[in-house]
Amino acid sequence: MNHDDLNHWSKRAADWITDYHATLRDRPVRAQVSPGDLLARLPATAPDMAEPPEDIFADFEALIPGALTHWQHPRFFAYFPANAAPASMLAEQLMSGIGAQAMLWQTSPAATELEQGMIRWLIRALDMPEDWTGTIHDSATTATLSAVLTMRERALGFAGLTEGLSDQPRLRIYASAQTHSSVDKAVRLAGIGQDNLVKVPVRDDLSMDPDALTRAIGADVAAGLMPAGIVFCAGGTAVGAFDEITACLPVARAHDLMTHVDAAWAGSAMICPEFRTLLEGAEDCDSLVFNPHKWMGAQFDCAVQLIRDPVDQIRTLGLRPDYLQTLEGDEVTNFNEWTVPLGRRMRALKLWFVLRAHGLDGIRVRIRNHVAWTRELCEVLRGEPGLEITSEPRLSLFSFALTGGCAATEALLTRINADGRIYLTQTTHAGRFVIRFTCGTWDCTRDDVMAVWEVIRDLR
Ligand SMILES: *Cc1c(COP(=O)(O)O)cnc(C)c1O
């Protein structure tokens, strides 16, 4: 395949994509295949001889779409959305044609400076302090890992980087049980250890109990352990819990703890002033992650970490071996020093395209619609006999269950996903198996949301 073929087949691909999006509602949302189906249809070895593009494209059409779960399907209500605006797809198409690797300023100045520009736009859009900065990671998991590594080194006076952890005091990180498992993963990978992630009890509204936090930190200090940081939950994955950050900050300050906010999903909604109150206090923390690839139309992957002062994180993650030295020195930002991997994609382009193609207002309208339709659906389901709302809507997320018990609820979910018209997933809430509803795909309409009611009625 040469560049002329690329031109020809890109146009074919563009047509295919248009058709794909136009017919998504006709496809089952979740792949209706069994494990191993696709693998069994692939040859066991790579071809020795070149194959024509026609054959490759034909096999793509024959094998792949039927084995996909369609994340951009307007009736995808599972997990959290990973929504993608057409403007974002266009930007990614351009980037894939350029094939840049943006590890240093020098290796693509446009990548670094567009990233800085987009971070500035997002700081203002989220009403965060003007003197903050930030970077773009692949995922919230990596952003939180970067923050936890920084917590570790800040607490150890940066000794862990060289000496390792075996002779260091035992570090402690605090988070509520509503936080995402990426926090557990971060403390494991950072060598802090799962046992040193203190799951602080929550209050009735599922927010971290500030008194319990204060007691936990006090007990750890008394026992000779070393508190290092707190990860706040701003929009939990199970049922959308929010910590009351302002109530927890005094104890963080008293012990000089670094604070990081996980707003991976809910962060995008903070461009709406009426929702921004849920994030109150984040501006007094040290770091925050949110995923424009969830709810802001910039397709996966795009996780933005906003940072009060990057010095500690750069000291933790940055390395400058000889082969990465550049003449610009400290005049420029080399973003690989802010993140775990050395190589980086140019992720700012899709943000630039989306934010301009829709404006913040265009994105706000979508988010507000998603929230309003979620509440509407919740009220309708509340009226259904034998069905119970198990957690109230938080932004575009609520959960429900059948009053008949966990087994009945689980069986209903299995029927729903085998049916294919909509896609929902489960969580455990207050010890019960519950079904989560969340919406947020780019082309989702009110009718799509209300289809959930129809499907549930059909399948009960
Ligand atoms: C989705 C999510 C994550 C993980 O995001 P990735 O980008 O997939 O790593 C972390 N925290 C919360 C609250 C999330 O919703």
Side-chain angles (χ1 to χ4, degrees):
M1 191 183 281
N2 59 29
H3 289 288
D4 287 338
D5 293 325
L6 173 64
N7 182 280
H8 172 78
W9 287 98
S10 305
K11 287 171 185 161
R12 270 290 298 275
D15 289 341
W16 187 91
I17 289 166
T18 305
D19 183 60
Y20 173 74
H21 285 282
T23 57
L24 265 181
R25 279 192 186 81
D26 306 333
R27 298 172 186 259
V29 190
R30 199 181 73 172
Q32 307 284 316
V33 295
S34 303
D37 281 358
L38 178 70
L39 187 56
R41 297 176 71 183
L42 297 179
T45 50
D48 283 319
M49 304 296 288
E51 297 187 32
E54 289 77 10
D55 291 4
I56 303 172
F57 204 92
D59 281 344
F60 162 75
E61 289 190 288
L63 298 180
I64 304 301
L68 289 175
T69 291
H70 303 290
W71 280 75
Q72 303 313 318
H73 197 300
R75 297 182 179 184
F76 182 104
F77 305 119
Y79 306 101
F80 280 128
N83 71 3
S88 167
M89 297 175 186
L90 179 61
E92 285 289 74
Q93 198 177 331
L94 290 168
M95 281 321 301
S96 87
I98 292 166
Q101 205 275 58
M103 60 186 179
L104 302 166
W105 177 85
Q106 194 178 85
T107 60
S108 275
T112 300
E113 295 185 19
L114 195 61
E115 187 162 332
Q116 291 172 313
M118 292 307 97
I119 293 290
R120 194 169 56 195
W121 283 13
L122 291 172
I123 284 170
R124 291 189 173 170
L126 266 67
D127 195 19
M128 294 294 280
E130 289 279 325
D131 58 351
W132 276 44
T133 173
T135 190
I136 309 180
H137 299 259
D138 55 353
S139 65
T141 301
T142 331
T144 293
L145 173 61
S146 304
V148 168
L149 288 165
T150 307
M151 287 175 183
R152 183 190 83 187
E153 287 309 313
R154 196 175 159 279
L156 297 178
F158 300 89
L161 293 173
T162 45
E163 296 167 15
L165 301 182
S166 45
D167 291 331
Q168 310 295 349
R170 207 165 128 193
L171 298 172
R172 304 284 271 180
I173 304 287
Y174 306 85
S176 92
Q178 293 292 317
T179 51
H180 189 265
S181 61
S182 55
V183 181
D184 302 66
K185 189 180 263 194
V187 296
R188 290 175 174 213
L189 296 183
I192 294 169
Q194 180 83 60
D195 291 350
N196 293 310
L197 174 59
V198 182
K199 295 277 173 87
V200 180
V202 294
R203 300 181 286 194
D204 288 346
D205 65 357
L206 303 179
S207 66
M208 187 191 287
D209 181 344
D211 296 331
L213 174 69
T214 304
R215 282 194 299 274
I217 294 173
D220 284 348
V221 171
L225 309 181
M226 183 181 273
I230 306 172
V231 180
F232 291 118
C233 178
T237 310
V239 292
F242 280 86
D243 287 336
E244 193 191 337
I245 297 173
T246 44
C248 299
L249 280 177
V251 65
R253 287 212 189 87
H255 292 271
D256 190 28
L257 303 186
M258 186 180 143
T259 48
H260 171 71
V261 183
D262 179 3
W265 156 65
S268 297
M270 303 307 156
I271 63 172
C272 304
E274 71 272 31
F275 302 138
R276 176 60 176 79
T277 48
L278 289 167
L279 200 61
E280 204 184 327
E283 58 284 348
D284 295 318
C285 293
D286 297 302
S287 165
L288 172 145
V289 64
F290 85 102
N291 285 350
H293 75 228
K294 277 186 172 152
W295 209 4
M296 204 178 256
Q299 69 177 241
F300 188 84
D301 54 0
C302 187
V304 167
Q305 184 191 10
L306 302 181
I307 309 172
R308 167 187 300 285
D309 178 352
V311 167
D312 290 344
Q313 186 158 321
I314 293 171
R315 191 163 167 196
T316 303
L317 301 179
L319 271 180
R320 279 191 205 173
D322 290 345
Y323 46 82
L324 293 179
Q325 299 285 355
T326 61
L327 290 179
E328 297 84 21
D330 288 334
E331 226 182 285
V332 298
T333 296
N334 292 319
F335 271 128
N336 78 79
E337 296 175 358
W338 300 45
T339 56
V340 174
L342 170 61
R344 351 184 40 250
R345 304 181 64 237
M346 180 173 174
R347 301 188 181 91
L349 195 74
K350 55 193 164 192
L351 276 171
W352 195 43
F353 274 40
V354 170
L355 291 171
R356 295 181 63 192
H358 296 277
L360 289 168
D361 273 345
I363 300 168
R364 287 184 186 112
V365 165
R366 275 195 167 68
I367 289 172
R368 286 174 177 142
N369 279 340
H370 298 153
V371 172
W373 298 334
T374 298
R375 289 181 184 151
E376 196 180 340
L377 175 68
C378 180
E379 288 323 306
V380 172
L381 292 186
R382 201 191 301 277
E384 275 289 294
L387 196 149
E388 190 186 337
I389 302 303
T390 48
S391 64
E392 293 298 320
R394 309 223 182 183
L395 299 173
S396 59
L397 169 65
F398 69 92
S399 67
F400 62 94
L402 295 179
T403 49
C406 292
T409 305
E410 205 169 333
L412 173 63
L413 182 64
T414 304
R415 283 198 299 282
I416 289 172
N417 289 330
D419 173 79
R421 278 175 286 171
I422 61 173
Y423 181 21
L424 297 169
T425 48
Q426 76 289 332
T427 190
T428 304
H429 178 56
R432 274 174 84 177
F433 181 99
V434 301
I435 302 176
R436 291 167 79 256
F437 169 86
T438 184
C439 72
T441 52
W442 195 255
D443 296 325
C444 175
T445 64
R446 181 179 170 279
D447 281 353
D448 291 317
V449 171
M450 297 318 281
V452 171
W453 186 31
E454 189 185 310
V455 169
I456 288 175
R457 286 187 137 183
D458 285 355
L459 299 178
R460 280 189 56 192

